[in-house]
Amino acid sequence: MSLAPRESHDADLPLPLPWLESKGPVPALDRPARSAAPAPESAPAVAKKRLPIVSAAPQGNPVEKPSAPPAKPQAAEGAQPASEKRAVPPKKKAGPKRPGSGIPARPIIRALVWVRRVCQVGFFALFFWFLCSTAFRGTFSARSDQPVRLPLPVEAFLLSDPFVGAMTLLSTHAVYRGLAWSLGIVALTLLFGRVFCGWICPFGTLHHFFGWIFPSRTLRGGRRVEANRTHGWQAAKYYMMWGFLGAALAGSAIGGLLDPICVAVRAIGLGVLPALQYLGIRGTNLAAASNVRTLQMATDGAQDVLSRSLWTANQSYFNQTWFIVFTLVAILFMNRIIPRFWCRALCPLGAFLGVISRFSLFGMEKDHAKCTDCNLCLVHCQGADSPQGGVKHREDECHMCFNCEAACPEDVIKFRFLPNFCSAIKKTNLERRTLLTSSAAGAVAIPALRIANWPDKAYSEKVIRPPGAVEEREFLERCIRCAECMKVCPNNALHPAFFEAGVEGLWTPILIPRIGYCEFSCVLCGQVCPTGAIQKIDEKQKMGIGQRPVSIGTAMYDHGRCLPWAMATPCIVCEEFCPTSPKAIWAEEVEVPKRDSKYLAKGEQAAMLMVKVQRPHVDPSLCVGCGACEKVCPIVDKPAVYVTNAGESRSKTNVILLENTRYGQT
């Protein structure tokens, strides 16, 4: 029996099906009827013999069989109808380098992954640009009547922070006008979930970057899969969030200590940039000492560009920077143990957006039957929201990074609007008693802290608030410890407090006159404050043009250390630098005895001389507490003139003169 007819029709038969573990495209199974004579063998027998034929047969490679005669000419094979050549291709073609079935992700998802990366880089660059622009690089002596303002909305990221808006709303029972921008992030979360965490947040991008550029050698394979699974400790950020909201309800915005935008501004602005500035200045000095003209010119030009773009011409330094930077380094190091540890365990803003995201219209949908437990989705997951098949994923933990769908080779995961929420956990998994305990603890902690440091009674002379600051209790209700005012201060006068204002006042701004004084016509700190803790006053209000000037304290003299008072030595430095008009420091010209420094003879006393000195005095009705006198005092170790917060305009009880208080009212 001849086998020629059977071999001539091998190219027309369908290829093996994919579930029979053979690769290649599957053509149409409905072969049209042919006019040729039927094969001598039965159809089942022929099909049984031809199923194992590999995909090389349709490509023209003959199958070796010793008893077969030569094949017919190719012209006979090409005479078949065009309908027999058409094959319906599968929906998705297997990728040669992808595991499992190798089904590639949708093109829109692959594009969105790259769009997300571009957005992360872009928003972080914008944040860093705003942070570097939060500095004054001009002069106040050009035109005293011209207002000095920053050209950019450098506090934009803080104004768009919904957690900051919620805290100030609960603590002050009012919505600060600028914080209305945070409603846009809330609306975005209601539509797409926690896209702010995965696409916009600069602090989250910083953790993502450090986790990628400094990967852990041990966090690979099964350990990385286990680290990216959902864990119970991820609920810690929700309990912290409710605790901070409870504290806000009790009248304190202390939650700003852990708000990610505040942490980023405070750590980078007060620690990282001054450190880079120090290295830049030291490098310039070394280049200048090299006596190589080309190198000197290059470093001088680089330093000039950096001083106009990244930092200021003078070296900045801040109190408590070591603690702030150490905290940042410790948090970033945790990414080597748990990817995006901050976002998963500590971030109160992420927890706040996670609660809102349960109502989002866009989310993940999974086909659990297709999952082969390859765990590729877990390897690339950023939020540890259980994207793998067979379990319900956590909607509140998803960062919308789309890595899981892009990595899935089985077409299990899809992101879409109004998905099937049967495979999602929409409600945050929290213990009710623990939640109530956290909220109550935050609310009770504030009165407990104020027992030892009551804002209206226990005054510390070192707590000198910026000009325009509201009364202390209201100041603690509004201040989120973002350090924008410290970063923008042109004289490096504002610094983060440690325990000078109590535990509740940790890292709130205070003026340290010995380091820098408050510029008499500067109101930049109020311009950049996002919550109104420092009011947006103008130059006329601060300098007292047509009204009483804003006072942040009063200068005091230690006569035992003052040169004219204790040592009969002429000195009028403090009077010369006093910026008020008329001057708050005035000098009393007197003649005082002074022993001559030369001895007349051995054993005899020096002659007594009479010298004229100008003994300084302070007029408390004119002093504004700017600290210029303390800054320039020539007594280096401890100045003879110092500024305290007595007589500050914002307080009705911390006063020196009584005519402006209730005691002076008849």
Side-chain angles (χ1 to χ4, degrees), residues 411-583:
D411 199 23
V412 175
I413 302 170
K414 279 188 172 61
F415 284 88
R416 60 183 57 179
F417 281 99
L418 300 177
N420 184 1
F421 293 115
C422 295
S423 60
I425 299 177
K426 303 290 290 184
K427 187 177 180 181
T428 306
N429 187 19
L430 299 176
E431 294 289 339
R432 181 177 301 179
R433 291 184 179 180
T434 309
L435 188 149
L436 294 176
T437 302
S438 302
S439 303
V444 172
I446 301 306
L449 295 175
R450 290 180 178 177
I451 290 175
N453 191 65
W454 195 251
D456 299 333
K457 300 296 181 183
Y459 285 101
S460 172
E461 73 281 358
K462 297 181 180 180
V463 182
I464 305 173
R465 297 301 187 188
V470 295
E471 186 269 334
E472 183 68 10
R473 183 185 296 225
E474 187 179 355
F475 183 84
L476 295 176
E477 292 176 353
R478 289 180 172 271
C479 181
I480 58 174
R481 290 86 173 162
C482 65
E484 283 278 348
C485 56
M486 310 174 206
K487 181 70 174 61
V488 78
C489 183
N491 294 332
N492 199 193
L494 295 177
H495 296 258
F498 199 44
F499 293 120
E500 294 88 346
V503 178
E504 186 186 359
L506 181 66
W507 292 343
T508 54
I510 59 173
L511 182 77
I512 302 181
R514 197 56 176 165
I515 299 177
Y517 65 93
C518 180
E519 187 68 41
F520 188 51
S521 61
C522 177
V523 293
L524 292 176
C525 54
Q527 179 194 349
V528 301
C529 181
T531 60
I534 306 174
Q535 294 177 321
K536 299 184 185 299
I537 60 176
D538 56 22
E539 288 79 3
K540 292 183 178 180
Q541 290 175 286
K542 185 180 180 184
M543 294 187 294
I545 300 177
Q547 55 193 307
R548 187 176 179 83
V550 174
S551 175
I552 58 177
T554 306
M556 307 284 182
Y557 276 95
D558 185 349
H559 289 177
R561 302 182 64 83
C562 184
L563 295 179
W565 280 97
M567 304 175 189
T569 302
C571 178
I572 57 171
V573 175
C574 54
E575 188 270 341
E576 288 179 339
F577 275 84
C578 183
T580 61
S581 180
K583 290 183 178 292

Side-chain angles (χ1 to χ4, degrees), residues 151-328:
L152 300 173
V154 295
E155 72 279 16
F157 278 86
L158 291 164
L159 292 176
S160 60
D161 191 331
F163 184 64
V164 170
M167 280 194 302
T168 55
L169 175 63
L170 293 176
S171 60
T172 64
H173 309 291
V175 178
Y176 193 63
R177 180 172 53 188
L179 291 173
W181 290 103
S182 62
L183 296 178
I185 301 298
V186 173
L188 191 65
T189 307
L190 289 174
L191 285 176
F192 300 103
R194 287 177 58 181
V195 292
F196 181 86
C197 301
W199 293 57
I200 301 175
C201 180
F203 201 50
T205 299
L206 188 66
H207 288 277
H208 194 166
F209 174 75
F210 271 87
W212 171 69
I213 199 172
F214 297 117
S216 174
R217 294 183 179 179
T218 60
L219 201 62
R220 296 179 179 179
R223 292 186 178 181
R224 184 173 183 86
V225 170
E226 186 61 29
N228 283 342
R229 294 185 187 274
T230 306
H231 295 84
W233 48 258
Q234 293 179 226
K237 61 179 177 291
Y238 293 96
Y239 296 127
M240 295 175 65
M241 177 200 71
W242 287 110
F244 286 139
L245 293 180
L249 194 60
S252 177
I254 196 173
L257 289 174
L258 290 184
D259 181 84
I261 308 300
C262 297
V263 173
V265 173
R266 187 170 58 239
I268 300 176
L270 304 189
V272 176
L273 286 179
L276 295 177
Q277 182 183 18
Y278 175 81
L279 295 176
I281 294 176
R282 291 285 295 177
T284 303
N285 293 338
L286 292 176
S290 66
N291 293 326
V292 179
R293 182 175 179 80
T294 304
L295 182 60
Q296 290 175 339
M297 294 180 61
T299 53
D300 289 345
Q303 183 64 18
D304 182 62
V305 172
L306 293 175
S307 63
R308 288 186 282 107
S309 57
L310 292 183
W311 48 68
T312 56
N314 298 323
Q315 175 66 54
S316 300
Y317 51 93
F318 299 90
N319 278 6
Q320 315 308 326
T321 300
W322 65 271
F323 190 22
I324 295 173
V325 174
F326 174 79
T327 304
L328 175 65

